[in-house]
Amino acid sequence: MNTVFFLVFGLIVVVCAINVVVQRHPISSAISLIGVMGSLAIIYLQLGAEFMAAAQIIVYTGAVMVLFIFVIMLLNAGSEEGGKGPLTVRLLGVPLLLVFLGLLSYLIQRLFSDTGPVRFGDFKGGSPADVGRALFSTYLLPFEITSVLILIAILGAIVLARKELD
Amino acid sequence: MPAAVPLSWYLVLSAVLFSLGVAGFFFRRNIITMFMSIELMLNAVNLSFVAFSFQLKQVSGNIFAFFVMVVAAAEAAVGLAIILTVFKNRATLNVDRIDSMKY
Amino acid sequence: MSFIIISIIKAAVVAAALLTTLAYLQWIERKVLAHIQLRLGPSRVGPHGLLQPLADVIKLVTKEDLIPPEANKFVYILAPFLAVATALVSVSVIPFGREIEIFGYRTPMQLTDLNIGVLFILAVSSLGVYGVALGGWASNNKYSLLGALRSSAQMISYELPVSLALVSPLLLLNTLSLGEIVQKQAGFLLGFIPNWSIFQLPFPQLLSFVVFLIAGFAETNRIPFDLPEAENELVAGYHTEYSSMKFAAFFMAEYANMITVAAVTTTVFLGGWQPALPGSLGHLAPVALFFMAGMVAFYHGFHPARARDRMTLPVVGAAFLALSALFLVPWVQAAFLPLFWFVVKTGVIFFLFVWVRGTLPRFRYDQLMAFAWKSMFPLAMANLLLTGLAVGLWG
């Protein structure tokens, strides 16, 4: 059951992620990215991160991607023109990426060969209560700093977006 | 078929996602799609954090992924505002045409 | 194994009941609206227009299904499904009653009791905007696009007050599971005030209840916040180009969203299936209510001025009396009294939706945004802070 779960949603994630990269229209990419994020939330659930799964849907799919789609609709962005890009990127890009991916996978298999199997329910520390407790005790300072960061981001976005009004 | 897959599979999935994000960032010329590729990479990293959190039976990985998520949301707000401004000024989303800083 | 079978049966029952209710909510809304405006409303198809929803379904299914030639076909077809699916899913975590026993198997009257139930509802409702936004974009029509843009801005803005207003009662109740939320609102203060979170000490949540309800109106795109489909500006907004079953899907999504908002309000603020009256009064309330309804139906049925209803109203009256008698049977009372209270509370909130639609004019767009950010958001925030303070001091 755990394997089937992982394989099904892992496959959805990979197919949607490939779609993000190969689609020429930004809206298609955005919809695929929503698929990636939704399936990742389900994988988080399997890994016992309940709060993160909910936050993934609320923050990423519910807010960030809506913002993306909003901007794409607002700018009425059409399909990308067939820009070719530099020669080196076209020739070496895919092989180099495959080498990079192979290296990463090899390192992972080498370093984490003795990890145990992932069974749903082995780790229950990701509930909202546990995350909240850690967030407001051990990680209080980073949490407060993040809130300041968000404030700065809000102000920055407002200043950038209101420039054309005057 | 084994009853459960090892943790390294999750990490490999994360690596695949990250590579696809890098590919999108390098090959696409539309600034919005490039931005989405960055989000894809951040998601891949989050998956690793959550997977390690599971392996070590500690909540810290979840917390770190949470912070990544918050920063990504802030980044998206500012980034999209920048994209809007660029589009207002240059009327294009193609990064190859937004090159006046080069010269 | 029996868990899976029971779950499938429960899901089927809930889905069937929900879809029927959706069809008839529309009839109720048209009737109530008509009476507010001194009209009759649907009255041709069946007695009092009761078969009107059926006729509407047949009409919608047999209509031609147009796809605009320049539309993005995949997204155009995907959007209504997204809208209706996200609208229906949140019902799966709402508790309708306490545990009941079916064929010796005990199960709660709830599809599933997630321990992140409230977060699940917030997550699913935050996905609802996609159906509207993508549908409006894919139609390739300027009115649809404008409606979609308006709606995504509006729904993102009002999500904040919704979430903040929902968080304050959670501080009192101290759980995210909807089943437990209802259980923690049991009992009565001073013997007669129900211990719901809008009355619960140390800080009654009346303010956040009002904020949640108003923001809920905006989330469901209802009058007075129906800017995305304002017909005198945008034809019909995001679903201008939709016809046939796809249009019906958007329509169903709107009603399903209304049910969700009403059900969540009931569960979190109004004590879910807990009775509103203490002791045996709570047990006798459905008997008295149905008895009164039956008597009213009989009175009108035999009134000489209403010759047309001579056949139908006495039947309705007899049905109500039978229901009234049924609620005196102990077994029925034990199983369905919670369901009765849940339906009554949800129904009252749904009636409020219709009432407001019949009464208020539409906001202007800048007023709508200013209202969200300058009144709803600070109010919800202040209420959250005060609740936190009260719970910290006396909780």
Side-chain angles (χ1 to χ4, degrees):
Chain A
M1 199 66 191
N2 284 300
T3 314
V4 174
F5 220 71
F6 173 77
L7 287 181
V8 168
F9 286 101
L11 198 70
I12 295 177
V13 166
V14 172
V15 169
C16 287
I18 292 174
N19 217 20
V20 172
V21 178
V22 297
Q23 285 289 341
R24 299 210 73 82
H25 200 289
I27 279 263
S28 315
S29 295
I31 293 173
S32 312
L33 193 53
I34 294 164
V36 172
M37 287 162 172
S39 316
L40 273 182
I42 292 165
I43 291 181
Y44 288 175
L45 268 187
Q46 201 191 5
L47 288 168
E50 287 172 0
F51 177 74
M52 280 310 295
Q56 169 95 359
I57 300 269
I58 295 173
V59 176
Y60 266 129
T61 22
V64 173
M65 288 318 291
V66 175
L67 215 58
F68 269 98
I69 289 197
F70 187 82
V71 167
I72 295 171
M73 290 197 316
L74 196 68
L75 302 184
N76 207 3
S79 290
E80 189 177 324
E81 313 100 86
K84 289 225 171 138
L87 190 70
T88 44
V89 172
R90 262 185 299 154
L91 284 180
L92 290 174
V94 175
L96 269 181
L97 261 175
L98 285 178
V99 169
F100 173 67
L101 180 59
L103 212 64
L104 260 182
S105 312
Y106 171 74
L107 275 176
I108 288 167
Q109 291 296 353
R110 187 70 192 278
L111 288 172
F112 302 104
S113 54
D114 56 341
T115 50
V118 174
R119 275 192 218 89
F120 176 67
D122 277 2
F123 172 58
K124 290 207 172 91
S127 70
D130 293 312
V131 173
R133 207 164 287 128
L135 214 52
F136 288 109
S137 56
T138 324
Y139 300 97
L140 185 60
L141 186 65
F143 183 70
E144 299 291 344
I145 293 173
T146 335
S147 67
V148 176
L149 178 79
I150 290 182
L151 185 65
I152 296 169
I154 293 174
L155 290 178
I158 290 174
V159 168
L160 279 168
R162 71 174 284 155
K163 222 176 91 182
E164 74 270 12
L165 277 180
D166 48 40
Chain B
M1 195 180 279
V5 293
L7 188 86
S8 50
W9 288 32
Y10 287 84
L11 299 177
V12 171
L13 178 65
S14 162
V16 171
L17 275 187
F18 190 85
S19 313
L20 281 167
V22 174
F25 188 77
F26 280 138
F27 293 134
R28 304 323 307 257
R29 303 262 58 94
N30 186 320
I31 190 163
I32 296 181
T33 318
M34 287 170 76
F35 203 17
M36 281 195 268
S37 306
I38 297 176
E39 296 291 334
L40 192 58
M41 286 189 259
L42 286 171
N43 265 285
V45 174
N46 269 358
L47 177 58
S48 298
F49 276 128
V50 173
F52 280 126
S53 187
F54 181 94
Q55 173 68 19
L56 301 173
K57 307 281 182 279
Q58 277 179 10
V59 77
S60 316
N62 281 340
I63 305 277
F64 213 111
F66 177 74
F67 282 131
V68 171
M69 198 179 276
V70 172
V71 172
E75 172 222 333
V78 178
L80 287 171
I82 292 175
I83 290 177
L84 273 179
T85 321
V86 165
F87 188 80
K88 288 269 151 61
N89 290 332
R90 314 296 303 253
T92 179
L93 288 172
N94 192 331
V95 281
D96 289 337
R97 303 257 188 83
I98 311 167
D99 55 359
S100 48
M101 293 276 275
K102 265 188 185 172
Y103 311 109
Chain C
M1 200 60 217
S2 63
F3 170 76
I4 294 176
I5 295 173
I6 289 279
S7 298
I8 291 172
I9 293 174
K10 279 205 292 190
V13 169
V14 168
L18 188 66
L19 291 177
T20 324
T21 321
L22 282 183
Y24 271 92
L25 280 185
Q26 192 225 351
W27 176 80
I28 293 173
E29 171 160 32
R30 288 174 69 177
K31 268 298 195 200
V32 172
L33 215 54
H35 284 288
I36 289 177
Q37 298 163 347
L38 296 179
R39 295 183 285 117
L40 276 181
S43 56
R44 299 283 168 186
V45 193
H48 293 267
L50 264 175
L51 297 178
Q52 186 71 42
L54 211 66
D56 283 344
V57 168
I58 293 172
K59 179 196 77 174
L60 284 166
V61 170
T62 50
K63 259 191 172 178
E64 189 186 355
D65 195 0
L66 280 173
I67 295 182
E70 294 297 313
N72 184 327
K73 221 168 250 169
F74 175 70
V75 182
Y76 183 83
I77 294 170
L78 177 77
F81 285 104
L82 263 180
V84 82
T86 52
L88 290 176
V89 163
S90 16
V91 175
S92 59
V93 292
I94 303 280
F96 302 109
R98 60 164 69 90
E99 277 201 337
I100 51 166
E101 203 170 316
I102 314 170
F103 309 121
Y105 187 86
R106 292 190 68 80
T107 176
M109 278 172 91
Q110 180 180 15
L111 276 187
T112 171
D113 193 6
L114 295 180
N115 39 12
I116 50 166
V118 176
L119 287 179
F120 177 81
I121 286 182
L122 283 179
V124 170
S125 68
S126 72
L127 295 183
V129 63
Y130 284 117
V132 175
L134 292 177
W137 176 82
S139 304
N140 200 16
N141 172 324
K142 59 186 163 213
Y143 297 118
S144 304
L145 186 65
L146 280 174
L149 278 176
R150 279 183 177 190
S151 131
S152 34
Q154 171 181 340
M155 283 167 96
I156 294 181
S157 303
Y158 275 91
E159 210 140 273
L160 276 164
V162 161
S163 324
L164 283 177
L166 208 52
V167 167
S168 325
L170 296 183
L171 283 180
L172 292 179
L173 303 167
N174 209 8
T175 174
L176 287 176
S177 137
L178 287 161
E180 279 177 40
I181 282 179
V182 175
Q183 271 153 22
K184 291 201 174 173
Q185 302 181 60
F188 292 88
L189 301 165
L190 304 174
F192 66 98
I193 304 172
N195 192 23
W196 305 341
S197 44
I198 53 166
F199 301 126
Q200 209 169 62
L201 297 175
F203 195 80
Q205 292 300 318
L206 270 172
L207 187 62
S208 70
F209 170 68
V210 174
V211 170
F212 181 81
L213 213 54
I214 294 175
F217 276 70
E219 280 284 292
T220 47
N221 293 333
R222 290 281 297 183
I223 287 177
F225 304 108
D226 66 335
L227 274 297
E229 41 192 304
E231 58 273 347
N232 43 10
E233 304 164 23
L234 296 178
V235 189
Y238 58 89
H239 55 56
T240 303
E241 295 288 351
Y242 281 90
S243 58
S244 183
M245 272 324 274
K246 296 203 190 71
F247 172 74
F250 276 121
F251 215 69
M252 258 167 68
E254 185 185 329
Y255 281 84
N257 276 325
M258 249 191 290
I259 291 192
T260 309
V261 169
V264 172
T265 318
T266 305
T267 310
V268 177
F269 292 97
L270 299 179
W273 44 261
Q274 305 284 1
L277 296 166
S280 54
L281 274 179
H283 293 289
L284 289 178
V287 180
L289 191 78
F290 286 127
F291 186 75
M292 258 164 57
M295 280 299 141
V296 170
F298 269 123
Y299 171 75
H300 283 293
F302 293 120
H303 202 279
R306 307 190 65 160
R308 270 185 62 206
D309 300 327
R310 188 61 35 87
M311 295 303 293
T312 54
L313 275 183
V315 176
V316 175
F320 273 129
L321 287 187
L323 262 177
S324 163
L326 211 59
F327 266 94
L328 284 172
V329 182
W331 178 81
V332 176
Q333 208 176 52
F336 289 102
L337 199 62
L339 186 65
F340 167 80
W341 281 113
F342 181 83
V343 171
V344 165
K345 290 173 189 173
T346 315
V348 166
I349 293 176
F350 176 76
F351 182 78
L352 197 68
F353 269 95
V354 181
W355 191 5
V356 167
R357 177 173 171 188
T359 318
L360 290 183
R362 186 179 296 130
F363 272 72
R364 221 171 50 217
Y365 196 66
D366 57 322
Q367 290 172 335
L368 173 93
M369 282 299 165
F371 189 60
W373 290 101
K374 291 181 185 161
S375 349
M376 292 282 97
F377 181 64
L379 267 180
M381 201 71 197
N383 184 66
L384 179 61
L385 289 176
L386 286 176
T387 312
L389 198 67
V391 171
L393 287 178
W394 305 297

